[in-house]
């Protein structure tokens, strides 16, 4: 990225941050402020990926994996929180690394909501699925992630972490009604959905994890991708 482009980007981020802070402190628009913080959090990962030397065929592969992860949500829409999206992101990150996992996760959230509906939850989903990809890539070489039980535990834990993080935007959207009782109710009501997400991650990783990993590894080695 050219130096001038970086300066423009930094200036834009600072401008949005100042606007959001002023709005939050004067009008209590906490949801707007949260969007800015989420955007600032996502920006370094996209910027780091953009600086990498990457070929067109590698971008095509990432786009295909993101599309698979996104479209995978649609058939399972009638079953809340049951979907193979997190599975695709985790396996992709294990093979291609943390940066690829982040891009696939964040883009998958954005694309899938074209079909399922965009809203204030979209940036938070981009963050959550992006972080699933990042952490899977970071820990892919650890001894416990190389074991089947450790991988299943990783998917199970992220099923709950995803829901816990997503609960934050819901609470921020109700600043006037915020209370610790509301926090307890929100997290208690999300338990079923978080459990469904966690168990679906375990199921897809247990049944399809090995075969998907072998297929993606073959692509990586054959075409020297990423």
């Amino acid at each position: 990225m050219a130096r001038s482009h970086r300066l423009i980007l930094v200036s834009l981020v600072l401008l949005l941050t100042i606007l959001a802070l002023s709005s939050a402190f004067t009008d209590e628009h906490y949801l707007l402020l949260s969007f800015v913080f989420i955007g600032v959090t996502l920006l370094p990962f996209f910027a780091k990926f953009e600086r990498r030397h990457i070929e067109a065929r590698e971008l095509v592969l990432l786009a295909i994996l993101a599309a698979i992860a996104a479209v995978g949500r649609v058939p399972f829409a009638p079953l809340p929180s049951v979907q193979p999206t997190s599975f695709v992101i985790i396996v992709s990150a294990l093979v291609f690394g943390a940066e690829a996992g982040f891009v696939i996760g964040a883009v998958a959230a954005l694309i899938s909501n074209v079909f399922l509906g965009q809203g204030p939850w979209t940036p938070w989903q981009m963050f959550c699925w992006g972080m699933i990809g990042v952490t899977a890539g970071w820990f892919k070489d650890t001894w416990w992630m190389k074991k089947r039980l450790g991988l299943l535990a990783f998917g199970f834990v992220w099923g709950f972490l995803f829901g816990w993080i997503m609960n934050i935007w819901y609470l921020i959207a109700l600043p006037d009604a915020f209370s610790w009782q509301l926090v307890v109710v929100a997290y208690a009501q999300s338990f079923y959905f978080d459990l469904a997400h966690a168990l679906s991650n375990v199921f897809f990783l247990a049944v399809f994890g090995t075969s998907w990993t072998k297929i993606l590894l073959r692509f990586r080695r054959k075409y020297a991708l990423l």
Side-chain angles (χ1 to χ4, degrees), residues 94 136-146:
L94 292 177
W138 283 345
F139 298 132
K140 66 184 181 70
D141 294 324
T142 59
W143 64 269
W144 53 274
M145 279 291 279
K146 293 182 178 180

Side-chain angles (χ1 to χ4, degrees), residues 125-188:
Q125 288 177 332
M126 292 176 64
F127 173 79
C128 289
W129 269 314
M131 290 303 102
I132 289 179
V134 167
T135 53
W138 283 345
F139 298 132
K140 66 184 181 70
D141 294 324
T142 59
W143 64 269
W144 53 274
M145 279 291 279
K146 293 182 178 180
K147 295 183 178 296
R148 181 181 178 85
L149 186 60
L151 179 60
L152 297 182
F154 177 86
F156 185 85
V157 169
W158 255 113
F160 279 93
L161 289 178
F162 185 98
W164 292 347
I165 296 173
M166 289 300 299
N167 286 341
I168 297 175
W169 85 261
Y170 168 75
L171 295 170
I172 291 175
L174 301 171
D176 295 333
F178 181 82
S179 66
W180 288 112
Q181 290 80 3
L182 178 63
V183 174
V184 173
V185 170
Y187 279 84

